[in-house]
C-alpha cells in the first residue's frame, strides 16, 4: 500500500512538477546524531586542561565521522538519512561529494524510511557500513503537496517494499526550510550518475 506522511490521502499536486534529485540510489540510515559527542568535564580540572581534553575527544569523533563519509562514498551511497542532527562540517563534506544529507527525521519517518528502503539503521559511529546494511530508493524528488514542499521517495523498480511512496515534510516552516536547503545544496553540486 501507499503511505503518506504529512499529507493525508493526497497524491503529489500538479501545481508544481516534481524536481527529480536522484534515481536508483543507495541509502544509509542512522538513528544517532552524526555529530561529535558532547562531554562534560569532571572533577576540579583546570578549565584549560578540560578544554584540551574536550578538544581531543571532539577531534577523535570528527575522525570517526569523516570515516563514515569515506565509507559512504566508497560504497556508492547517495543518501545519508539521520534521525538526529548532522554536524555542519560533515554535512558540507557529504554535499561536496554529491551525497544528500537528510537529518532530524522523526521516529515515524525513520520507521517508514526503513520500510521503504530496506536499510538497517546504525546506532554507533564506530559501526562498519556493510553493503547488506544499505537500503535503496528508486527516486527522490522535491515536489509540492497541498502547497507544501515535500521530499517524495519511491522504492527501487521491482521492489516488494512494504511502502511504495514516502513523503517527508516538517511540522514547522523552519524545519522544512532546513530540509529543503540541504537537498538543494546537494543537488546544486551535481550528483554524479
Amino acid at each position: 500500500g501507499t503511505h503518506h506522511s504529512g499529507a493525508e490521502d493526497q497524491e503529489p499536486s500538479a501545481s508544481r512538477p516534481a524536481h527529480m534529485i536522484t534515481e536508483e540510489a543507495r541509502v544509509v540510515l542512522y538513528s544517532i546524531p552524526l555529530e561529535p559527542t558532547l562531554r562534560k568535564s569532571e572533577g576540579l580540572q583546570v578549565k584549560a586542561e578540560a578544554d584540551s581534553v574536550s578538544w581531543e575527544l571532539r577531534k577523535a569523533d570528527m575522525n570517526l565521522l569523516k570515516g563514515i563519509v569515506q565509507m559512504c562514498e566508497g560504497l556508492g551511497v547517495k543518501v545519508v538519512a539521520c534521525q538526529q542532527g548532522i554536524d555542519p562540517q560533515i554535512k558540507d563534506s557529504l554535499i561536496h561529494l554529491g551525497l544528500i544529507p537528510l537529518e532530524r527525521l522523526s521516529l515515524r519517518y525513520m520507521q517508514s524510511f526503513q520500510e521503504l528502503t530496506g536499510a538497517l539503521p546504525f546506532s554507533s559511529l564506530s559501526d562498519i557500513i556493510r553493503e547488506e546494511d544499505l537500503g535503496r530508493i528508486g527516486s527522490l524528488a522535491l515536489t509540492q503537496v497541498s502547497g507544501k514542499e515535500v521530499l517524495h521517495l519511491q522504492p527501487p523498480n521491482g521492489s516488494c517494499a512494504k511502502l511504495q511512496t514516502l513523503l517527508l515534510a516538517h511540522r514547522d516552516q523552519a524545519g522544512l526550510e532546513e530540509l529543503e536547503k540541504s537537498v538543494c545544496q546537494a543537488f546544486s553540486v551535481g550528483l554524479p550518475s
Side-chain angles (χ1 to χ4, degrees), residues 115-153:
E115 287 178 21
L116 180 99
T117 67
L120 298 176
F122 288 96
S123 58
S124 170
L125 294 182
S126 59
D127 287 345
I128 303 296
I129 302 172
R130 301 172 310 171
E131 180 82 30
E132 57 267 23
D133 299 323
L134 299 176
R136 294 187 174 279
I137 56 170
S139 66
L140 173 64
L142 192 58
T143 192
Q144 215 170 46
V145 175
S146 300
K148 284 185 140 182
E149 296 262 317
V150 296
L151 286 180
H152 182 199
L153 293 91

Side-chain angles (χ1 to χ4, degrees), residues 16-183:
R16 197 189 82 197
H19 178 73
M20 186 61 63
I21 295 168
T22 191
E23 294 182 288
E24 297 298 326
R26 290 181 179 174
V27 176
V28 67
L29 190 56
Y30 279 90
S31 61
I32 58 167
L34 292 179
E35 300 173 328
T37 307
L38 295 176
R39 297 179 179 92
K40 297 188 189 237
S41 59
E42 296 178 19
L44 299 173
Q45 292 179 311
V46 176
K47 183 166 175 30
E49 185 181 319
D51 287 346
S52 173
V53 169
S54 178
W55 179 250
E56 289 303 316
L57 292 172
R58 178 177 165 71
K59 279 178 33 180
D61 282 353
M62 287 302 287
N63 286 336
L64 282 173
L65 291 165
K66 288 175 184 176
I68 288 171
V69 171
Q70 291 172 346
M71 279 190 280
C72 288
E73 182 187 29
L75 288 168
V77 169
K78 294 271 178 110
V79 178
V80 178
C82 186
Q83 182 176 353
Q84 298 180 38
I86 300 176
D87 180 85
Q89 185 179 349
I90 297 304
K91 191 186 317 182
D92 288 345
S93 295
L94 292 168
I95 290 168
H96 178 75
L97 294 171
L99 282 70
I100 300 166
L102 300 177
E103 64 180 317
R104 302 192 194 293
L105 300 176
S106 70
L107 185 56
R108 177 180 59 171
Y109 284 150
M110 284 292 289
Q111 291 168 339
S112 298
F113 207 93
Q114 186 177 357
E115 287 178 21
L116 180 99
T117 67
L120 298 176
F122 288 96
S123 58
S124 170
L125 294 182
S126 59
D127 287 345
I128 303 296
I129 302 172
R130 301 172 310 171
E131 180 82 30
E132 57 267 23
D133 299 323
L134 299 176
R136 294 187 174 279
I137 56 170
S139 66
L140 173 64
L142 192 58
T143 192
Q144 215 170 46
V145 175
S146 300
K148 284 185 140 182
E149 296 262 317
V150 296
L151 286 180
H152 182 199
L153 293 91
Q154 292 187 304
N157 291 332
S159 168
C160 294
K162 294 178 185 177
L163 297 178
Q164 292 302 307
T165 298
L166 177 61
L167 302 177
L168 295 180
H170 272 273
R171 240 178 258 141
D172 59 23
Q173 190 61 30
L176 185 59
E177 287 171 5
E178 182 64 30
L179 183 63
E180 183 179 10
K181 181 178 151 192
S182 292
V183 170

